[in-house]
Amino acid sequence: MSLILSLFVAGSPIEKTKPPSLESLCLGVVGKHFEDIIGDLGEIAVNFPADTKMAMAAIARRRQLLNDDVIISLAESSWEILDISGSDVSDFGLAKVAERCKVLRAVDISRCSKVTAAGVSELVWHCHSLETLRCGGCPRSDHTARQCLGIFKPKLNDIEGESWEELDPTEIAHGAESLRWLVWPKIDNNSLESFAAECPRIIVNPKPSPFGFRGVKVPVEALPNVALDEPIVKDIDPRTWAVSGFTARPTAPSSPSSTELPIAEKFRLAFVERDSRLAPKRAKNARQHLRRAEREWVMTSTRAKALALASQASKSLHGRN
């Protein structure tokens, strides 16, 4: 008895383990069959709480199923973080989400080959509370990050003033004035120097430290060793997204099983292909059958023979005239 009490007092793993919640179990079941509900996701998730929708988006991302339609169907105005890393979300989807989720504080667009500087511009324009941005991770995303320097720099709306003192504060900054932390692990030296010179308020790749950085504590969202949406799915069984062979490595290809078609769809496509291939032959056979029927009718019908002879005689008379 004393041993059991001592274990509880010492904070052993016994007290840390707890059964998953009913919501986590349900999300696990839904996540395993997520591809079956994508078509009706907008109607299914319309009344779900914001955190449930965020968990569904995190599962879809891990199952390589996150695209514009999915993220737009799930986006909620109260979201403060958005992780679309390694997904098929494009500028269109990012702009729609940014327009709806104006209080976003941290966004991860790393390894998003379909997101360009235009999408980042929409994000900055709509989300004035954005503090942390993760980017890079693939050649296309690195290129996008380099193009975003001009977006992050403050812009002057009034350049006719004679001095800085005469400028209204609202006229000074329409860049990403709230952005403080940029996570770009493989940033090149030229880009790093450009950010340091032209956007000194933005701290690139901050390191965790108990003393903070320049007197400011580094937020968890700015530390790249943990996925931005990891806290959302920490209570959900990882086997939920293991069904499609998800891996956390950014360059790892997805498993063929994630794109394999159902047997019924394979049969349907095979039938359509065969039907299209045989369509010209069926049309040719139909024409031949019609001509054969016409010849047989002429040979067996007395009236048809009379009409044929009359037609030939008429042609002969016209030819003589």
Side-chain angles (χ1 to χ4, degrees):
M1 186 67 177
S2 59
L3 176 60
I4 296 176
L5 290 175
S6 63
L7 287 174
F8 276 97
V9 172
S12 68
I14 295 178
E15 65 174 337
K16 294 182 180 180
T17 58
K18 60 179 182 179
S21 65
L22 179 60
E23 181 182 7
S24 298
L25 293 174
C26 292
L27 284 171
V29 174
V30 172
K32 289 181 180 179
H33 305 278
F34 199 91
E35 66 275 17
D36 297 329
I37 65 172
I38 288 180
D40 302 311
L41 189 58
E43 299 178 4
I44 294 173
V46 64
N47 293 320
F48 285 176
D51 54 347
T52 300
K53 291 183 178 181
M54 188 178 294
M56 293 177 69
I59 293 173
R61 185 181 72 82
R62 284 162 169 76
R63 291 206 53 199
Q64 307 295 331
L65 297 172
L66 190 61
N67 55 28
D68 288 346
D69 293 335
V70 172
I71 197 64
I72 292 173
S73 298
L74 295 174
E76 190 68 31
S77 60
S78 61
W79 282 7
E80 294 188 1
I81 67 169
L82 176 67
D83 192 340
I84 57 173
S85 57
S87 70
D88 289 329
V89 176
S90 68
D91 288 341
F92 176 78
L94 180 59
K96 286 295 184 181
V97 174
E99 185 177 351
R100 187 180 306 173
C101 310
K102 297 181 182 296
V103 295
L104 287 174
R105 295 185 298 100
V107 176
D108 191 342
I109 58 170
S110 60
R111 308 190 311 279
C112 286
S113 59
K114 296 183 179 180
V115 172
T116 68
V120 177
S121 178
E122 290 292 324
L123 177 67
V124 171
W125 176 261
H126 291 289
C127 303
H128 298 162
S129 301
L130 183 65
E131 298 177 352
T132 304
L133 181 66
R134 299 184 181 188
C135 57
C138 69
R140 181 61 182 172
S141 188
D142 288 335
H143 177 70
T144 297
R146 281 189 288 269
Q147 289 185 317
C148 289
L149 176 61
I151 299 173
F152 298 151
K153 289 192 301 184
K155 300 177 178 61
L156 293 178
N157 289 336
D158 180 12
I159 59 175
E160 297 180 357
E162 296 182 358
S163 67
W164 286 95
E165 289 79 4
E166 297 179 1
L167 290 176
D168 189 285
T170 59
E171 300 293 336
I172 295 178
H174 270 293
E177 61 266 24
S178 63
L179 188 63
R180 291 294 178 271
W181 315 96
L182 181 68
V183 180
W184 184 2
K186 295 185 178 180
I187 185 173
D188 57 278
N189 292 331
N190 291 335
S191 299
L192 186 60
E193 293 175 359
S194 298
F195 272 100
E198 302 186 46
C199 301
R201 74 184 187 284
I202 298 178
I203 302 171
V204 181
N205 296 330
K207 304 298 182 182
S209 170
F211 305 104
F213 192 89
R214 298 177 186 174
V216 180
K217 182 180 180 181
V218 180
V220 177
E221 294 84 1
L223 303 178
N225 57 332
V226 179
L228 194 59
D229 58 5
E230 184 64 29
I232 308 300
V233 295
K234 63 179 181 179
D235 294 330
I236 300 176
D237 190 349
R239 288 175 294 182
T240 299
W241 45 85
V243 293
S244 62
F246 173 80
T247 175
R249 294 177 60 189
T251 57
S254 59
S255 172
S257 61
S258 62
T259 56
E260 186 176 355
L261 295 174
I263 296 297
E265 182 65 7
K266 290 182 179 180
F267 274 108
R268 189 188 70 81
L269 292 176
F271 176 82
V272 171
E273 180 182 1
R274 179 179 179 275
D275 186 74
S276 301
R277 188 175 65 252
L278 296 179
K281 185 176 182 179
R282 286 199 302 269
K284 180 180 178 181
N285 291 340
R287 291 193 298 270
Q288 291 177 348
H289 181 74
L290 181 61
R291 288 195 295 268
R292 189 179 300 111
E294 289 176 350
R295 286 197 299 269
E296 291 177 355
W297 179 69
V298 170
M299 296 298 295
T300 57
S301 174
T302 305
R303 183 172 179 272
K305 290 180 181 180
L307 290 174
L309 291 173
S311 177
Q312 291 178 0
S314 177
K315 290 181 182 179
S316 178
L317 290 174
H318 285 296
R320 293 177 181 178
N321 293 335

